[in-house]
Amino acid sequence: MTRSRYSRTRSPEPEKEKGGGRGGAAMRVIVPLQGIVQGRGGLVLGSIIPCALFYFLQFYLRRHRNEPDDKKESNSPDEKPTTRSPSSGQLAELPALTRSPSRALLSPRSPSGPVSISGRVRGILKGADSPYYVGLRRVKEDPYEELGNPNGIIQLGLAENKLSLDLVKDWLLENGKEAILGNGNELSISRIATYQPFDGSMELKVAVAGFMSRVMERAVSFYPSQVLLTAGATPAIEILSFCLADAGNAFLVPTPYYPGFDRDVKWRTGVEIIHVPCRSADNFSLSVAALDQAFNQAKKRGTKARGIIISNPSNPVGNLLSRETLYSLLDFAREKNIHIISNEILAGCTHGNEEFVSMAEIVGPEDVDRKRVHIVYDLSNDLSLPGFRVGVIYSFNEEVLAAAKKLTRFSSISAPTRRLLISMLSDTNFVQKFITINRDRLQRMYVQFVAGLKKLGIECIKSGGGFYCWADMSRLINSYSEKGELELWDKLLNIAMVSVIPGSSCHCIEPGWFCYCFATLTEKDVPVVMERIRILFLKPVN
């Protein structure tokens, strides 16, 4: 008896298919009533009343569903009447795309705001508002050209060595084709179009290690087995940051420092930077006492320092770290059990009589502290090849090398670039000629630029390497503050049409210092720069 009763309650299912989903929903509401009425009024009433209610609701839903179409037909007298098929009630739902905007607004699944992005992206976009990046964009929009655009912005905010590009050009014109094609006249496609080791072939590592040794005047030998190649120094620093520190950890970095470190170290790794202030009274030289103070303060805040990042020569000041200072840094790292990343990308761009000492010279073959020392190098500066994107990680730590090797997959050098470099770096005559001429040109341009600023009453810290004049313009700012410094930077950029780097972008704690990168100029450009600065200060301040 019970089975027959349930079979009767399921009998309207064919009607569900004819009437659509709404009839089915209504029936699910009515069926429970059947059981209630059956229990109180008998079999007849228990069957008739629920069915009557079900058909009444079906009729109501169909009528109201068809009303919009009826109204549309009545409001369009010019249109020919169309014959409605029996299934028109179902087909009326098909043109839903035309009503999608209103449906999306009413849908409980519609978004309540703009499409979300990660917090990392917001941090990156905010960092792009730094005066350092603003200056780069402005120069790109309106670059100075002696003949083509003499009123454009002169680039003095980019550490790029254009003084010896002619030497690279001459070599490429003479040897570039053979370097790519090989000794024959036919292209060896496997040399440039197939997969290569992501961290660089051993042939290229041997050539790069030899070049590094030659740049440092053979004071130290570099072993190819400890070399990893990346697409520039930026990924080299990022990979080491990733390998040596966890998200939330930090590196001690002396200030002022290269503005790109904030990007290279922090953006994708989640690692922070602890500023170690250096002051003009000490010629912005690094001291162990300042490192120790910054380390202890970070520890009190709960921040774990995992290493020190130094630049030798320093960027933007141009100081060279002495042998004694490097030994002191190694002792400090041993005491605190932290790493040292030595950024030596300007090792071949020294000028003057000061000695350059690599961190590789400080750690001996049997030194137990070797595993905490890591060197970053590239060919962008010492060989005037920033567009080739060639960086180097040189580490004494096998675990770091093994992990970093896997990470180079994300930043490998192209195969054609590798072939060119193997040939270029193997040309010992060219390499030695380039190093000698490049250093001579750097020295001459540095002396000329510093003398020009001095005539304007602007003094610079003495530099022994790099492309920089670290200039004191504090007496020319309206207020001794970061605001006053940025006001002067804005005038230099938009009135004098000279792009420089304000000290605040380098996290200098003393307002009024500016970095001038002179290696982007020719000797004929220097008087133009000085004249623009001179005219700026002859004008009223406001």
Side-chain angles (χ1 to χ4, degrees):
M1 208 44 197
T2 304
R3 292 165 100 185
S4 63
R5 182 185 305 171
Y6 283 124
S7 66
R8 282 195 297 269
T9 59
R10 290 175 185 152
S11 62
E13 283 186 4
E15 293 295 330
K16 176 181 176 181
E17 294 178 3
K18 292 181 181 180
R22 296 186 183 182
M27 192 61 186
R28 286 195 297 271
V29 175
I30 299 303
V31 169
L33 293 176
Q34 182 179 355
I36 297 173
V37 176
Q38 275 182 329
R40 295 182 179 181
L43 179 62
V44 176
L45 290 177
S47 300
I48 294 176
I49 293 175
C51 289
L53 288 173
F54 170 72
Y55 286 114
F56 173 76
L57 284 174
Q58 263 199 332
F59 173 76
Y60 178 84
L61 291 173
R62 285 186 178 181
R63 180 174 180 178
H64 282 269
R65 183 171 58 192
N66 295 336
E67 279 182 0
D69 295 330
D70 296 339
K71 289 180 180 179
K72 182 177 180 181
E73 291 176 4
S74 63
N75 291 334
S76 304
D78 296 335
E79 294 183 4
K80 295 181 180 181
T82 57
T83 304
R84 298 174 62 86
S85 67
S87 60
S88 61
Q90 296 172 344
L91 295 175
E93 292 297 321
L94 292 177
L97 291 175
T98 60
R99 295 181 295 183
S100 59
S102 61
R103 289 170 66 92
L105 291 173
L106 296 174
S107 172
R109 295 184 179 182
S110 59
S112 59
V115 177
S116 63
I117 57 176
S118 73
R120 294 186 298 273
V121 170
R122 295 189 181 92
I124 291 171
L125 295 177
K126 184 178 179 181
D129 295 332
S130 163
Y132 172 70
Y133 294 106
V134 171
L136 295 179
R137 288 198 300 270
R138 291 280 285 111
V139 173
K140 186 177 180 180
E141 295 165 358
D142 187 20
Y144 167 81
E145 294 178 14
E146 182 182 1
L147 299 177
N149 188 20
N151 296 318
I153 301 174
I154 298 177
Q155 177 63 281
L156 292 167
L158 181 64
E160 186 175 17
N161 183 9
K162 294 184 177 181
L163 298 178
S164 302
L165 278 178
D166 60 311
L167 302 179
V168 176
K169 178 183 176 181
D170 292 343
W171 187 92
L172 289 174
L173 287 173
E174 185 177 349
N175 305 284
K177 182 178 180 180
E178 183 178 333
I180 293 292
L181 296 179
N183 295 326
N185 293 321
E186 294 185 2
L187 175 67
S188 175
I189 197 68
S190 63
R191 289 160 58 95
I192 62 172
T194 58
Y195 275 122
Q196 307 290 328
F198 295 110
D199 60 309
S201 65
M202 183 52 67
E203 188 179 8
L204 180 55
K205 290 180 180 181
V206 169
V208 169
F211 179 78
M212 292 172 65
S213 180
R214 187 177 291 272
V215 159
M216 300 176 192
E217 300 178 350
R218 301 194 182 279
V220 61
S221 295
F222 293 91
Y223 298 98
S225 60
Q226 294 169 217
V227 170
L228 298 178
L229 300 174
T230 63
T234 289
I237 292 172
E238 183 186 66
I239 287 172
L240 284 174
S241 300
F242 184 91
C243 291
L244 303 180
D246 294 314
N249 295 161
F251 285 98
L252 300 164
V253 184
T255 66
Y257 62 72
Y258 163 57
F261 275 168
D262 291 321
R263 168 199 64 208
D264 303 350
V265 175
K266 298 166 64 174
W267 276 9
R268 298 199 296 183
T269 65
V271 177
E272 297 298 323
I273 288 178
I274 300 168
H275 299 163
V276 183
C278 302
R279 304 177 183 277
S280 59
D282 303 318
N283 288 325
F284 294 98
S285 297
L286 176 62
S287 70
V288 173
L291 280 171
D292 191 58
Q293 183 179 4
F295 181 91
N296 292 331
Q297 288 176 348
K299 188 175 181 179
K300 289 179 181 178
R301 295 193 302 267
T303 301
K304 187 173 184 179
R306 297 301 303 269
I308 312 164
I309 300 178
I310 57 173
S311 294
N312 186 24
S314 68
N315 175 357
V317 179
N319 289 338
L320 272 66
L321 298 180
S322 67
R323 193 178 297 270
E324 291 74 22
T325 300
L326 294 176
Y327 276 118
S328 298
L329 288 174
L330 189 59
D331 291 339
F332 178 80
R334 183 190 307 114
E335 177 189 343
K336 305 299 183 183
N337 193 25
I338 59 178
H339 293 268
I340 296 176
I341 298 176
S342 183
N343 177 29
E344 300 181 4
I345 64 174
L346 296 166
C349 294
T350 56
H351 46 81
N353 300 320
E354 291 186 68
E355 177 192 30
F356 172 80
V357 183
S358 171
M359 200 70 205
E361 294 183 54
I362 302 303
V363 289
E366 306 300 327
D367 198 323
V368 294
D369 292 314
R370 289 167 63 86
K371 291 190 175 183
R372 68 175 80 253
V373 174
H374 320 274
I375 295 171
V376 171
Y377 185 70
D378 73 8
L379 301 181
S380 299
N381 303 295
D382 286 356
L383 205 54
S384 295
L385 296 174
F388 277 37
R389 308 306 304 145
V390 181
V392 178
I393 295 174
Y394 189 80
S395 178
F396 299 95
N397 191 308
E398 294 82 4
E399 286 184 288
V400 170
L401 286 172
K405 182 176 181 178
K406 296 179 182 297
L407 293 171
T408 57
R409 184 182 183 93
F410 300 104
S411 61
S412 59
I413 306 166
S414 70
T417 299
R418 298 180 189 199
R419 299 310 313 173
L420 277 172
L421 286 173
I422 290 170
S423 181
M424 181 183 288
L425 297 178
S426 300
D427 188 342
T428 55
N429 291 331
F430 165 75
V431 167
Q432 191 56 53
K433 175 184 175 182
F434 184 93
I435 293 171
T436 302
I437 294 177
N438 185 56
R439 280 178 171 158
D440 180 67
R441 291 178 179 178
L442 278 172
Q443 174 69 12
R444 189 165 64 248
M445 180 62 76
Y446 170 75
V447 170
Q448 183 181 355
F449 198 87
V450 170
L453 289 177
K454 191 170 185 178
K455 288 181 180 179
L456 298 176
I458 301 171
E459 296 290 338
C460 299
I461 293 289
K462 184 181 178 182
S463 171
F467 319 135
Y468 323 106
C469 289
W470 185 241
D472 182 7
M473 302 180 72
S474 57
R475 68 178 185 84
L476 300 172
I477 61 179
N478 287 334
S479 61
Y480 189 71
S481 63
E482 181 178 338
K483 180 181 178 181
E485 176 183 283
L486 293 179
E487 288 174 351
L488 178 56
W489 165 79
D490 185 73
K491 291 183 175 69
L492 286 166
L493 180 63
N494 296 304
I495 299 177
M497 305 294 280
V498 174
S499 175
V500 299
I501 306 174
S504 55
S505 291
C506 305
H507 303 282
C508 181
I509 63 171
E510 299 180 19
W513 289 87
F514 290 81
C515 176
Y516 291 79
C517 302
F518 57 79
T520 58
L521 305 175
T522 65
E523 292 186 0
K524 292 188 297 183
D525 295 332
V526 176
V528 179
V529 172
M530 300 306 160
E531 182 63 13
R532 290 189 179 191
I533 296 174
R534 187 188 69 81
I535 292 175
L536 173 66
F537 296 122
L538 289 177
K539 292 182 178 181
V541 175
N542 295 319

